Amino acid sequence: MLNLSVLLEDSASRFGTRLAFSSGSTDFTFRQVNVMANQLANALKKLGIREGEKVAMTCPNCIWFPVIYYAVLKTGAVMVPLNILLKSDEIKYHLQDSQAAFYFCFEGTPEMPVGKLGWNAFDQVPGCRDFVLIGADKPAGERSYTLAELMDGEDEAFDSCVTDAEDTAVIIYTSGTTGKPKGAELTHINLYCNAVLSAELFSLSQTDVQLIVLPLFHVFGMTVLMNAGLYRAAHGILLPRFDAKDVIENINKHQVSIFAGVPTMYWVMASYIHPEITDQQVGNALRICISGGASLPLAVLEGFEQRFSVQVQEGYGMSEGSPVVTFNDPKIGRKPGSIGTPVWGVCVKIIDQEGQEVANGEKGELIYKGHNVMKGYFRRPDETREVLRNGWLHSGDIAIKDGDGFYFIVDRLKDMIIRGGMNIYPREVEEVMMKHPAVSLAAVVGVPDDKLGEEVKAFIVLKENQQVAEKEIIDWCRAMLASYKCPRYVVFRAGLPLTATGKLLKKELKNNL
């Protein structure tokens, strides 16, 4: 028996008066966070939430993310965190696909009306029973509430549901071979073990202060920072968006000892000069930096380390792996450019197309098994069987292992684009572009980018006698897709390379940019 909410409850019991999170100008103790989660759990029970039901949430890095996350887990329901940049049609898809019964949505701003987009999506999904706005003014609807009115007057104690360790705790959406995002079912034991080993890898303790600017809807920030931090009763500083000035000021103000980010963040910070805070001040606060989400260019790693005199430890993970699979464990050793060695309890192999393990130094597909491997893709048995074979998860990434047991990612089998640590599946973008009345055919590929790792480039064949500007195609995409998925480059071609069966030869497009 295991419920992941024990991470919060245990720290609240033992270290209740210590600071758990700082959000904006407000500090919250472990006891306060647990009490708020209990109040919300009681409210959800009154609304009729049942064990195993899915609860979706669109929320930035603020105190309400952990409160809602742990309240849902306490009830025995399943948390479904959504990317805050999604548009209405994308939110609708996720609500329908996850079979969400409840939806918590952040109010947003006039420039980013998240709440309006969320309500429009919710209103089109009859199976989603209740809408809760994280904000002041709820939409006009019988099934809508504000978070404040839902929690008002509720009991501060709650007897958490007893769940099995193998029960699904969280569904994380990731892109897949169908072109539509699919939900990786992560169990209580998946996430618990990954949080514990993350805390061990970073020697996390109560004296540490973590800067949490990685989005918590992504499994990297959720596990490595939020869950691991609660396990060790560390203090987390919540930032809703990355800005180099804000990051450096918060590191200095709160004496942040642990910073985790994607390569883009390190790239920006390595070149940003703060007018008042010195590199030495930043370096004196930081104890360790962690990089994941995409390969960290050596030049960026070296530039950052030289400036701030702190090591950046790189690892490798996937949503399907809860996420951590390998890491440059300080206790074992470190190789810049490497993703490190397998973490505790996880086995990794490099195999050829016949499934045989290759020799050191030879390329092959990275596969792994262990406590971190997801239960499967929610309601997608075929896709689950495709990646999970005999207990081994097939990553689709090409890697090599050197003679010392360190792994290096060298290529990808999939067409997945990783832009600034965010996964983009080309087919989803292509399908949106194909809806444009002037577009006959579209192909999307990732192209190298010094800042973001990869950038999105689209190749388009127009219908006969049609003309359209590059900007119009990009604006078309922006109206229906999260901004990070939209192409930054559009090239018009008379035709695209195809196989005999009509399949696009994307490799040829990439090789002849």
Side-chain angles (χ1 to χ4, degrees), residues 363-374:
K363 293 180 182 179
E365 183 181 9
L366 187 150
I367 65 173
Y368 58 94
K369 68 176 180 178
H371 53 71
N372 63 333
V373 173
M374 67 172 180

Side-chain angles (χ1 to χ4, degrees), residues 118-258:
W119 173 258
N120 290 341
F122 165 82
D123 204 34
Q124 300 177 65
V125 184
C128 198
R129 301 196 299 271
D130 294 286
F131 179 92
V132 183
L133 187 73
I134 308 168
D137 302 314
K138 68 178 180 181
E142 293 181 1
R143 300 178 294 159
S144 68
Y145 310 85
T146 65
L147 183 58
E149 72 174 323
L150 204 61
M151 295 171 60
D152 186 44
E154 289 294 341
D155 197 320
E156 295 184 355
F158 185 83
D159 188 11
S160 292
C161 175
V162 177
T163 53
D164 288 332
E166 296 295 340
D167 286 346
T168 301
V170 177
I171 295 178
I172 293 287
Y173 271 84
T174 182
S175 296
T177 54
T178 64
K180 287 286 190 179
K182 54 186 183 290
E185 291 191 75
L186 303 179
T187 65
H188 290 270
I189 193 67
N190 284 154
L191 293 166
Y192 177 83
C193 286
N194 222 263
V196 171
L197 71 85
S198 294
E200 291 293 331
L201 287 170
F202 316 143
S203 299
L204 191 61
S205 75
Q206 297 171 44
T207 61
D208 278 309
V209 179
Q210 301 185 109
L211 186 63
I212 307 177
V213 69
L214 284 169
L216 289 174
F217 61 74
H218 193 286
V219 70
F220 185 7
M222 178 196 305
T223 296
V224 171
L225 295 175
M226 183 179 76
N227 288 343
L230 285 170
Y231 170 65
R232 283 289 171 82
H235 181 194
I237 311 301
L238 295 165
L239 283 185
R241 59 183 293 272
F242 176 81
D243 177 86
K245 183 173 183 290
D246 288 344
V247 166
I248 289 174
E249 288 176 354
N250 274 277
I251 290 173
N252 187 56
K253 175 183 176 181
H254 296 282
Q255 289 298 286
V256 168
S257 55
I258 297 178

Side-chain angles (χ1 to χ4, degrees), residues 320-472:
E320 295 87 340
S322 303
V324 186
V325 177
T326 67
F327 191 73
N328 277 274
D329 186 345
K331 302 178 188 69
I332 294 175
R334 170 182 182 255
K335 288 193 178 184
S338 164
I339 57 170
T341 56
V343 296
W344 180 88
V346 176
C347 299
V348 177
K349 288 198 299 188
I350 308 294
I351 61 169
D352 60 21
Q353 292 181 343
E354 285 70 47
Q356 299 300 310
E357 191 167 6
V358 303
N360 290 344
E362 292 187 9
K363 293 180 182 179
E365 183 181 9
L366 187 150
I367 65 173
Y368 58 94
K369 68 176 180 178
H371 53 71
N372 63 333
V373 173
M374 67 172 180
K375 181 187 291 188
Y377 293 122
F378 183 58
R379 299 193 304 136
R380 282 179 166 78
D382 291 341
E383 283 96 332
T384 298
R385 283 190 293 269
E386 184 180 336
V387 300
L388 264 177
R389 304 171 216 163
N390 299 317
W392 291 87
L393 195 142
H394 292 243
S395 71
D397 289 324
I398 300 296
I400 62 171
K401 182 176 75 169
D402 69 11
D404 296 322
F406 283 75
Y407 289 81
F408 298 78
I409 297 293
V410 295
D411 205 345
R412 291 187 176 88
L413 286 176
K414 304 172 184 176
D415 289 328
M416 185 77 72
I417 300 167
I418 301 181
R419 180 182 185 273
M422 303 291 276
N423 292 344
I424 302 165
Y425 197 85
R427 183 171 173 180
E428 184 183 9
V429 185
E430 291 160 2
E431 287 176 347
V432 168
M433 289 193 294
M434 292 283 286
K435 292 178 182 178
H436 191 286
V439 174
S440 173
L441 188 62
V444 170
V445 299
V447 296
D449 184 87
D450 290 340
K451 179 181 178 183
L452 297 169
E454 285 185 298
E455 194 49 279
V456 183
K457 186 170 185 176
F459 294 85
I460 289 178
V461 178
L462 295 176
K463 293 178 181 177
E464 191 174 357
N465 299 321
Q466 292 289 328
Q467 289 186 340
V468 63
E470 176 183 355
K471 184 178 183 300
E472 184 177 337

Side-chain angles (χ1 to χ4, degrees), residues 67-129:
V67 167
I68 296 167
Y69 181 94
Y70 284 100
V72 169
L73 294 179
K74 283 169 179 281
T75 67
V78 177
M79 186 75 255
V80 186
L82 303 183
N83 190 322
I84 197 167
L85 299 178
L86 297 179
K87 300 293 174 63
S88 284
D89 283 350
E90 296 168 305
I91 297 169
K92 176 184 173 183
Y93 166 80
H94 285 79
L95 295 179
Q96 290 175 327
D97 189 78
S98 67
Q99 299 180 330
F102 294 80
Y103 180 37
F104 288 84
C105 187
F106 182 63
E107 186 173 38
T109 63
E111 298 76 26
M112 191 177 178
V114 182
K116 182 179 179 181
L117 295 172
W119 173 258
N120 290 341
F122 165 82
D123 204 34
Q124 300 177 65
V125 184
C128 198
R129 301 196 299 271

